[in-house]
Structure formats: C-alpha cells, structure tokens
Amino acid sequence: MFGQLSHLARRFLGAVRPGAPDHAEEQWALTKLNDGERALWRRMNNPDRRHAIEVAHKVVAELGATATRPVVAAALLHDVGKVESGLRTPGRVVATVLWAIAPSPWLDSWAKGSHLQRRMAQYRLHPAIGEQLLADAGADPLTSSWAADHHRPAAEWRVPVSVGQVLKACDDD
Ligand SMILES: [Fe+2]
Ligand SMILES: [Fe+2]
C-alpha cells in the first residue's frame, strides 16, 4: 500500500509539471508511429507524452535491436485510451486511488452516474478504449494488444511474455 501511494505521489508530481516533451524526443517518437498512431499521439497530453517517451527509451535500451517498431509504439501508446475520459490530473488521481482500493464495485454504477463519474469509469476502462482506438488507427496487433493487456496479469497477455515483461518493467504504472 505504501509503495502504491508513493508511486501515486510521484506520478502526480510528474503530471502537474507542465510542458511538452523535448522537441528532438518528440520527433524521435513520431518516427516510431504510423500515420493513424501519430494522430492519436497528438491527442495525448504533455505529461502522458513525456511518460510514454521515457518508457519507450527504456524499452529500446533493454531490447536493443529486437525493439521492433510495434513494440516501441506499444511503449508510446499503451495509455492512449486515457484521452477519451478527458479527465485532468485531480480526477485521474481520484480514479486511480479508487481503482487501487476497490477495483470494480464502483465501475458499473459510475458508468451510469454523473458526468464526472462517467468520465472516471471511462478512465478506468482506458485499456479497452486504447485497444479500439489503436485498431481503428491501423496499429500493429502487438501494439493494440498491449494497450488492452498492460494492467492484466502476465498469464492473460497476448504479446510474447518476454516482450510484455520488458514493457511492464519499463513502465512505472
Ligand atoms: Fe495504463
Ligand atoms: Fe504507463
């Protein structure tokens, strides 16, 4: 629980820091994405793009030549489903805490609740939403599968376990 809270605190501090990723970093990320993926990338907010670039660099350092384009795209776009909720940092923190302490009971009722509750439920569903956005954008199946599976246990992953382990280890979610 303490680890989870300190992780949340770190992510919160990262998320309130304004500013786009460094220009060269952003250009590097764009070279790893196809046209449809680039359109999704541009919908992601600054903290999410900075986080995604950090994850992608770690993945490339870890996998070297075996970091294929779809794998790097998976690192860059694993959380893209968050764009649909429209939640800003405070709402995301509340949704993440609720998710950690009560994974599903609130989800069904909130999906039919107030505007804010519906957004939080949508945020909770970001893996499935991301998978659909990426499939519609013409992403490689590995990329869209990882968006869907990145919060699931390894036994349920559809990407090769060796690749999923690196993607997971390089992401601090
Ligand atoms: Fe996520
Ligand atoms: Fe992440």
Side-chain angles (χ1 to χ4, degrees), residues 7 11 48 51-52 55 75 78-79 82 126 146 150-151 167-168 170-173:
H7 162 74
R11 283 305 300 275
D48 282 356
H51 164 68
V55 175
H78 64 279
D79 274 334
K82 291 178 179 177
H126 76 265
W146 183 246
H150 72 278
H151 290 292
L167 283 164
K168 188 80 190 169
C170 293
D171 189 359
D172 65 355
D173 278 353

Side-chain angles (χ1 to χ4, degrees), residues 66-135:
T66 58
T68 60
R69 194 201 69 80
V71 171
V72 180
L76 290 168
L77 294 165
H78 64 279
D79 274 334
V80 71
K82 291 178 179 177
V83 299
E84 291 285 290
S85 78
L87 275 188
R88 300 176 70 95
T89 302
R92 286 176 172 212
V93 169
V94 173
T96 304
V97 170
L98 283 173
W99 186 358
I101 60 178
S104 54
W106 57 276
L107 186 61
D108 292 340
S109 58
W110 282 34
K112 303 178 202 93
S114 70
H115 181 63
L116 180 62
Q117 286 175 326
R118 289 201 306 277
R119 283 170 145 204
M120 290 205 187
Q122 214 171 18
Y123 182 77
R124 166 69 180 82
L125 294 173
H126 76 265
I129 293 170
E131 177 181 34
Q132 191 58 54
L133 289 172
L134 286 163

